[in-house]
């Protein structure tokens, strides 16, 4: 086994030119910069030229510069944007050879101030037809590679696009740079991971490449090279990176093992590259290591960080000979990640006013039995009730849900389910049938609960026609909100989540109104948006929860959230209007679970998918770390390989957790100052039976009894 300590790479730059040189090919004589062989003749393949400049062209022009050889043949063109101050050009083998006699820089709308040379990392650039560092944003930025680069390309070769710094939803698209920029033949757009993606060069693709070249476009990555490979040159190794420490490191320094198998009849040199970034894709450290793998053998390459990073979520990309071994997120002391509350000064009064408004709205609940779902021990109903208006005034909003009520006349623990963002249903798109309890399949344990599944305004049951539900109730319901996250964005008096969070409290009000509800045993759970609703309910309710189980929680730590993944950040930015970013984040802070969580003291269990690309772990751990719950009453389940999902045992896990906080009220017929105990056992003041009472205050025959 080869063990390697991960260290940061350092590079040094030397200045090859400084000065002030305007570039303008639209004047006569043209303005350009020419450097002789003494300045640039030692450039090697893989070396980087860093150009510093000022963009002086007006917004309507196209500022750019071109790197040419001494004969003025273009080697590389760079398109610029206002606001940019530097660009990098990497030398291919052909470019390095062409520059041996000197270099000319021409262009338009640019004033150069410095050119620096940074030596490459010694990698193999023999297959590159273009090398660079072009940032591709959300369909902004692109890299055009001229037809001349493909003069030697052949059918059957591999066209390999290399990249780094992958962001949320990284997507690669190759285009034919003719009118309309259609897809390059045989190069379907695709989500990307690792360090490269490659295509087989077909005859149709070859014709387009040789005639027009191509354009590299897409979403959220940096294009670093375009290469041509012969199929017989590729010797892919079999690679595995097993999960270590559940990908959670709290004591030991993070380490990873790459299991490399060489299936060939000759030795192969394995070049392992390990890149560590933050979850915001900021570089942390990188290592490049090589080891010879004997013919037909396997070896382990162990890599350890040289020190414990600060608490946080990090991303590791591990490649061997440019093939992806594994890309994954891992956590370092995650329960010490700081997601500082950013409550506005009127945060508490804002929610107090919303609750006061809700209290003025009569619940007016109506129940319609669903016979097909009702069982021997519980009946199931569609519940329709009134909640707060979409604003400070106006008509109450009707919200709905499915309710299972025990039929034995006794009081039962209350379990409220809050639901995720209704992304599986859009009018005119695919639909998913809303979840309804089917009491025909009740077990003895499930029949012991009074359960409610809330559909918040505009979502789930509230937007399905009768044909889209299986409750048998012949009425259609319609979403009037459009995209819920965007509804009245920026208006805190009528924003969607002001009303939706009040819907969560209305569900509690409804359960408290039922004779069979034991409100001394109140529990709630939900995933994703349902996790956020669970946090909001526990934070804002005047009735305490015994325990809650929000999982893969949405709506957390928005300033960080929007830097890590694309949704719903792009919805927010597209709808913020004249608000500055600071004003937008101030607005969103009212609905941020990290702020709501500071009011929670209930026992709390949560589940996190470390590879979550919807509600990233950095943000859905934020409310967990901010609650005031004692550490002994908190629990977190890490799923190292899951994305936006919980594991198959999550339901059993949180129900087991809930049982720890179930109060034994079976011996008390009513709750309050006139409580009556049906036996002579001791009960604590919460109604829990105490077998061996120690010093304290207890209930005995409904009266307080002090044991000293």
């Amino acid at each position: 086994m080869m063990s390697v300590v991960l260290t940061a790479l350092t590079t040094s730059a030397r200045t090859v030119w400084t000065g002030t040189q305007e570039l303008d090919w639209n004047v006569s004589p043209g303005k350009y910069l020419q450097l002789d062989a003494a300045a640039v003749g030692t450039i090697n393949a893989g070396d980087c030229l860093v150009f510093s400049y000022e963009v002086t062209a007006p917004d309507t022009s196209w500022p750019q510069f071109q790197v040419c050889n001494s004969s003025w043949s273009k080697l590389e063109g760079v398109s610029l944007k206002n606001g940019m101050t530097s660009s990098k050009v990497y030398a291919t083998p052909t470019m390095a050879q062409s520059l041996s006699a000197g270099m000319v820089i021409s262009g338009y709308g640019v004033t150069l101030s410095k050119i620096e040379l940074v030596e490459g990392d010694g990698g193999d650039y023999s297959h590159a037809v273009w090398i660079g560092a072009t940032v591709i944003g959300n369909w902004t930025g692109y890299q055009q590679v001229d037809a001349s680069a493909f003069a030697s390309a052949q059918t059957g070769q591999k066209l390999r696009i290399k990249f780094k710094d992958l962001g949320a939803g990284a997507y690669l698209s190759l285009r034919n740079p003719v009118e309309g920029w259609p897809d390059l033949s045989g190069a379907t757009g695709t989500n990307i991971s690792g360090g490269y993606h490659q295509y087989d060069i077909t005859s149709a693709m070859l014709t387009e490449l040789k005639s027009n070249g191509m354009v590299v476009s897409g979403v959220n990555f940096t294009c670093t090279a375009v290469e041509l490979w012969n199929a017989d040159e590729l010797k892919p190794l079999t690679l595995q990176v097993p999960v270590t420490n559940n990908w959670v490191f709290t004591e030991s320094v993070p380490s990873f093992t790459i299991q490399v198998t060489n299936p060939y009849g000759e030795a192969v040199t394995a070049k392992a590259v390990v890149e560590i970034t933050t979850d915001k894709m900021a570089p942390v450290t990188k290592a490049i290591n090589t080891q010879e793998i004997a013919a037909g053998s396997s070896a382990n390459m162990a890599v350890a960080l040289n020190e414990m990073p600060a608490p946080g979520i990090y991303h590791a990309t591990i490649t061997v000979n440019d093939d992806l071994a594994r890309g994954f997120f891992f956590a370092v002391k995650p329960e010490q990640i700081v997601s500082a509350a950013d409550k506005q000064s009127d945060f508490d009064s804002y929610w107090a006013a919303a609750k006061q408004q809700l209290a003025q709205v009569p619940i007016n609940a109506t129940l319609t039995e669903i016979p097909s779902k009702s069982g021997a021990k519980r009946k199931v109903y569609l519940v329709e009730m009134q909640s707060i208006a979409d604003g400070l005034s106006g008509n109450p909003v009707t919200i709905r849900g499915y309710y299972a009520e025990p039929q034995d006349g006794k009081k039962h623990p209350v379990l409220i389910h809050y639901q995720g963002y209704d992304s599986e249903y859009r009018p005119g798109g695919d639909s998913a049938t809303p979840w309804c309890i089917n009491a025909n399949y009740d077990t003895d344990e499930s029949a012991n609960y009074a359960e409610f599944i809330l559909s918040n305004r505009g979502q789930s049951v509230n937007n399905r026609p009768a044909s889209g539900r299986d409750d048998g109730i012949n009425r259609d319901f319609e979403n009037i909100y459009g995209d819920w996250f965007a509804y009245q964005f920026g208006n805190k008096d009528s924003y969607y989540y002001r009303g939706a969070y009040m819907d969560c409290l209305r569900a509690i009000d409804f359960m408290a109104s039922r004779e069979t509800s034991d409100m001394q045993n109140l529990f709630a759970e939900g995933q994703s948006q349902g996790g956020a609703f669970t946090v909001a309910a526990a934070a804002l309710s005047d009735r305490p929860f015994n325990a809650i189980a929000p999982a893969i929680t949405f709506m957390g730590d928005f300033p960080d959230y929007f830097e890590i993944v694309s949704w719903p950040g792009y919805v927010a930015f597209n709808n913020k209007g004249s608000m500055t970013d600071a004003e937008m984040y101030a607005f969103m802070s009212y609905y941020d679970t990290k702020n709501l969580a500071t009011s929670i003291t209930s026992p709390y269990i949560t589940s996190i998918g470390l590879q979550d690309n919807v509600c990233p772990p950095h943000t859905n751990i934020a409310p967990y770390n901010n609650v005031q719950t004692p550490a002994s009453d908190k629990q977190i389940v890490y799923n190292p390989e899951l994305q936006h999902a919980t594991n198959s045992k999550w339901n059993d896990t949180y129900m087991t957790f809930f049982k720890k906080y179930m109060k034994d009220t079976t011996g008390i017929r009513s709750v309050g100052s006139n409580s009556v105990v049906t036996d002579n056992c001791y009960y604590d003041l919460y109604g829990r039976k105490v077998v061996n009472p120690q010093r304290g205050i207890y209930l005995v025959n409904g009266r307080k009894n002090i044991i000293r």
Side-chain angles (χ1 to χ4, degrees):
M1 175 184 291
M2 181 180 77
S3 181
V4 177
V5 174
L6 203 62
T7 56
L9 296 180
T10 59
T11 58
S12 58
R14 69 175 177 86
T15 301
V16 299
W17 175 85
T18 58
T20 301
Q21 178 61 57
E22 183 183 354
L23 305 181
D24 192 341
W25 52 33
N26 289 330
V27 298
S28 181
K31 297 180 180 180
Y32 59 90
L33 174 67
Q34 187 162 8
L35 300 176
D36 59 20
V40 295
T42 60
I43 292 176
N44 296 310
D47 289 350
C48 177
L49 287 166
V50 182
F51 295 83
S52 298
Y53 50 78
E54 179 185 1
V55 176
T56 56
D59 292 341
T60 56
S61 67
W62 183 17
Q64 56 190 295
F65 67 83
Q66 293 182 354
V67 179
C68 306
N69 62 19
S70 59
S71 300
W72 286 78
S73 295
K74 188 179 75 170
L75 302 174
E76 179 65 57
V78 181
S79 298
L80 310 178
K81 296 179 180 179
N82 286 292
M84 294 177 64
T85 58
S86 67
S87 291
K88 297 178 180 179
V89 173
Y90 287 78
T92 64
T94 301
M95 182 187 295
Q97 183 178 5
S98 297
L99 293 176
S100 61
M103 178 171 68
V104 175
I105 313 297
S106 66
Y108 172 74
V110 180
T111 299
L112 292 175
S113 58
K114 183 187 293 186
I115 302 175
E116 297 172 288
L117 177 65
V118 181
E119 295 182 354
D121 62 15
D124 178 10
Y125 294 94
S126 60
H127 295 85
V129 297
W130 176 86
I131 302 173
T134 300
V135 176
I136 310 293
N138 190 2
W139 298 107
T140 60
Y142 62 89
Q143 178 59 50
Q144 186 164 348
V145 182
D146 291 339
S148 59
F150 303 101
S152 62
Q154 301 174 19
T155 301
Q157 285 184 312
K158 306 289 185 180
L159 174 63
R160 178 176 289 188
I161 314 300
K162 299 181 74 173
F163 37 71
K164 65 178 182 178
D165 300 338
L166 305 187
Y171 187 87
L172 172 65
S173 176
L174 300 187
R175 305 283 181 164
N176 186 343
V178 296
E179 185 177 357
W181 279 21
D183 289 341
L184 186 69
S185 293
T188 303
T190 183
N191 291 105
I192 53 177
S193 60
Y196 74 87
H197 188 79
Q198 68 185 21
Y199 304 87
D200 294 324
I201 297 181
T202 64
S203 58
M205 180 188 293
L206 185 65
T207 298
E208 293 180 7
L209 291 172
K210 286 182 174 292
S211 299
N212 308 311
M214 71 173 190
V215 170
V216 181
S217 180
V219 176
N220 293 347
F221 65 92
T222 298
C223 185
T224 59
V226 176
E227 299 178 338
L228 294 175
W229 287 78
N230 295 323
D232 58 5
E233 295 178 292
L234 301 174
K235 291 187 179 295
L237 301 168
T238 302
L239 309 171
Q240 288 186 315
V241 181
V243 175
T244 301
N245 247 44
N246 224 25
W247 290 150
V248 178
F249 301 92
T250 56
E251 303 295 336
S252 59
V253 174
S255 63
F256 319 104
T257 299
I258 312 169
Q259 299 174 347
V260 184
T261 299
N262 174 12
Y264 306 105
E266 59 187 63
V268 174
T269 299
K271 178 184 176 183
V273 179
V274 181
E275 294 183 89
I276 306 296
T277 69
T278 67
D279 55 356
K280 298 179 183 179
M281 300 304 173
V284 175
T285 190
K286 176 180 179 180
I288 301 174
N289 308 295
T290 59
Q291 180 178 352
E292 186 172 279
I293 312 298
S297 68
S298 299
N300 287 342
M301 302 173 73
V303 181
L305 273 65
N306 56 358
E307 61 183 2
M308 195 71 159
I313 306 295
Y314 295 87
H315 188 267
T317 301
I318 302 176
T319 58
V320 177
N321 294 352
D322 289 333
D323 293 329
L324 178 65
R326 190 163 193 167
F328 58 93
F329 290 95
F330 65 95
V332 174
K333 298 182 178 179
E335 294 176 43
Q336 296 180 25
I337 296 173
V338 175
S339 298
D342 55 7
K343 292 181 179 182
Q344 303 303 298
S345 59
D346 65 341
F347 182 90
D348 292 335
S349 61
Y350 171 78
W351 286 114
K355 290 168 61 177
Q356 184 177 12
Q357 183 180 350
L358 179 67
Q360 303 306 309
V361 177
I363 193 167
N364 288 345
T366 61
L367 281 70
T368 305
E369 186 182 351
I370 308 172
S372 64
K373 302 292 185 180
S374 296
K377 296 184 178 180
R378 295 193 299 177
K379 286 186 177 181
V380 177
Y381 301 89
L382 170 69
V383 176
E384 299 176 86
M385 56 187 172
Q386 302 301 299
S387 185
I388 196 172
D390 291 315
L392 300 181
S393 62
N395 295 325
V397 172
T398 298
I399 60 173
R400 299 171 177 87
Y402 291 127
Y403 167 54
E405 183 171 77
Q407 295 299 297
D408 60 5
K410 299 179 181 178
K411 288 191 178 293
H412 292 261
V414 172
L415 176 56
I416 300 176
H417 304 277
Y418 296 110
Q419 299 190 82
Y421 205 81
D422 197 12
S423 55
E424 291 184 319
Y425 179 81
R426 290 289 186 275
D430 294 334
S431 64
T433 302
W435 170 38
C436 181
I437 298 166
N438 192 335
N440 292 296
Y441 298 104
D442 276 348
T443 63
D444 288 342
E445 181 170 350
S446 61
N448 187 46
Y449 286 87
E451 285 186 87
F452 189 77
I453 306 171
L454 175 65
S455 290
N456 294 71
R457 58 190 61 206
Q459 297 193 45
S460 195
V461 175
N462 297 303
N463 67 29
R464 300 302 201 277
S467 60
R469 310 189 309 272
D470 63 357
D471 53 30
I473 298 171
N474 190 26
R475 284 187 289 132
D476 297 337
F477 308 125
E478 182 180 359
N479 172 30
I480 63 170
Y481 297 91
D483 184 356
W484 304 287
F485 193 86
Y487 181 77
Q488 289 291 302
F489 190 88
N491 184 342
K492 68 179 185 178
D493 290 332
S494 55
Y495 183 48
Y496 176 81
Y497 281 99
R498 179 181 186 268
Y501 284 179
M502 291 299 99
D503 296 346
C504 298
L505 300 189
R506 181 96 305 178
I508 302 169
D509 294 339
F510 169 75
M511 294 303 284
S513 72
R514 307 304 295 173
E515 288 293 329
T516 57
S517 293
D518 177 5
M519 298 305 288
Q520 287 191 89
N521 282 304
L522 177 59
F523 302 90
E525 69 85 24
Q527 298 177 29
S528 192
Q529 178 187 249
F533 286 156
T534 302
V535 170
L540 299 174
S541 174
D542 294 327
R543 295 182 175 88
F545 282 84
N546 297 57
I548 59 173
I552 52 175
T553 306
F554 183 39
M555 301 287 286
D557 204 355
F558 290 113
D560 283 339
Y561 196 159
F562 292 173
E563 289 189 55
I564 299 171
V565 295
S566 60
W567 183 87
Y570 72 84
V571 178
F573 284 105
N574 287 343
N575 287 276
K576 73 186 185 79
S578 62
M579 287 189 293
T580 65
D581 288 357
E583 290 169 338
M584 179 189 71
Y585 286 124
F587 160 70
M588 301 212 68
S589 68
Y590 292 95
Y591 317 100
D592 198 320
T593 56
K594 73 176 181 183
N595 294 328
L596 291 159
T598 59
S599 301
I600 294 176
T601 59
S602 305
Y604 189 121
I605 186 172
T606 191
S607 176
I608 288 176
L610 283 175
Q611 312 311 314
D612 196 335
N613 57 357
V614 178
C615 299
H618 184 116
T619 67
N620 64 52
I621 200 174
Y624 178 88
N625 285 345
N626 281 9
V627 296
Q628 302 302 301
T629 306
S632 59
D633 291 329
K634 294 170 60 178
Q635 183 179 334
I636 190 164
V637 175
Y638 296 101
N639 298 291
E641 298 181 281
L642 290 185
Q643 294 186 353
H644 194 55
T646 56
N647 64 51
S648 60
K649 298 181 179 178
W650 173 239
N651 182 78
D652 293 337
T653 299
Y654 73 71
M655 290 302 291
T656 299
F657 183 82
F658 286 173
K659 289 175 186 176
K660 291 171 53 179
Y661 301 97
M662 188 79 72
K663 299 173 184 177
D664 185 354
T665 60
T666 57
I668 302 179
R669 289 201 297 267
S670 61
V671 179
S673 59
N674 295 319
S675 297
V676 177
V677 181
T678 60
D679 54 33
N680 288 319
C681 294
Y682 288 91
Y683 293 81
D684 67 17
L685 293 181
Y686 296 101
R688 293 177 294 202
K689 185 182 291 186
V690 179
V691 178
N692 295 305
Q694 306 297 316
R695 296 174 60 183
I697 303 175
Y698 299 89
L699 290 172
V700 181
N701 290 330
R703 298 176 181 276
K704 288 185 179 180
N705 184 57
I706 300 176
I707 299 180
R708 302 184 182 279

